Structure formats: structure tokens, C-alpha cells
Amino acid sequence: MTTTLYGIPNCDTVKKARTWLADQQHDFTFHDFKKQGLARETVASWLKQVPREVLVNKKGTTWRALSDERKAAIVDDEAAIALMLENPSIIKRPVLDKDGACSVGFSDAQYQHLFNT
């Protein structure tokens, strides 16, 4: 069983997810996608499970800083992948990969369900 938590360390929601996983004594690897980057294949696999409307964080400052033309260009998964690889901060955080199953965001109830605790 492998669990990888993707995000950035100073994000409050990522901190909550990391704390929850540690408190519940779940082994996991943390992947800082700003420092460690992301593979195109990783992002593409997430998009097979999660719609781009969920994965691309349109409420954050990174999205708001984009030009209207750049925002309008996100019309398909390929364009979304390119944007997320170019600006990893635009990804809604955290992304949890548990045995190949992808989950976005964090709540106590969501993680309890995912880990059947």
C-alpha cells in the first residue's frame, strides 16, 4: 500500500492533511510539487479520476493572476495539464494518491472514509 500526498508545505490545508495522516499513523510520502516538480503522466492520471474543474483551483491567487486569454485557453485536459505543469500552485491542494486512487482537498470525514477509520 502506497500513499503519496502532493502539495506545498506552507499550505494550511496540506498541513492539516499531513497532521491527520501522522496522527492516524498512516505511512505516506510527501511530494512538494513546487520543489520536486510534477511529471506529465502524474497530472494526466489525476485527470482520469478527477475533473479538471476540481483539480484546477480557480479560487486562488494564481488563477486570478492569469490573463483572461490564458484562462479562456483551458478548454480541455491537455491545456489544463500544460497549465498545471507550468504553474503547480494552481492545483487544488492537497492531492492524495492512495494506491493509485486520487482524492483532492482535505476534510476529516473525507480522509476517514478513504482510510476506513
Side-chain angles (χ1 to χ4, degrees), residues 5 12-25 28 106:
L5 186 72
D12 288 341
T13 310
V14 171
K15 288 177 187 176
K16 290 175 188 175
R18 291 176 78 176
T19 299
W20 189 95
L21 289 165
D23 288 350
Q24 301 297 316
Q25 300 179 344
F28 70 98
F106 169 78

Side-chain angles (χ1 to χ4, degrees), residues 45-99:
S45 73
W46 295 344
L47 284 172
K48 289 179 182 171
Q49 300 177 57
V50 178
R52 69 179 171 270
E53 293 77 20
V54 172
L55 199 55
V56 174
N57 182 5
K58 293 184 177 180
K59 295 179 182 174
T61 56
T62 304
W63 176 262
R64 289 194 300 267
L66 295 176
S67 69
D68 289 340
E69 294 81 19
R70 186 71 170 109
K71 292 175 187 175
I74 310 305
V75 295
D76 58 20
D77 285 355
E78 287 304 316
I81 290 169
L83 177 65
M84 289 183 273
L85 293 176
E86 180 184 320
N87 294 303
S89 296
I90 206 144
I91 299 170
K92 183 171 170 73
R93 302 176 295 267
V95 177
L96 180 75
D97 182 328
K98 181 177 180 281
D99 300 325

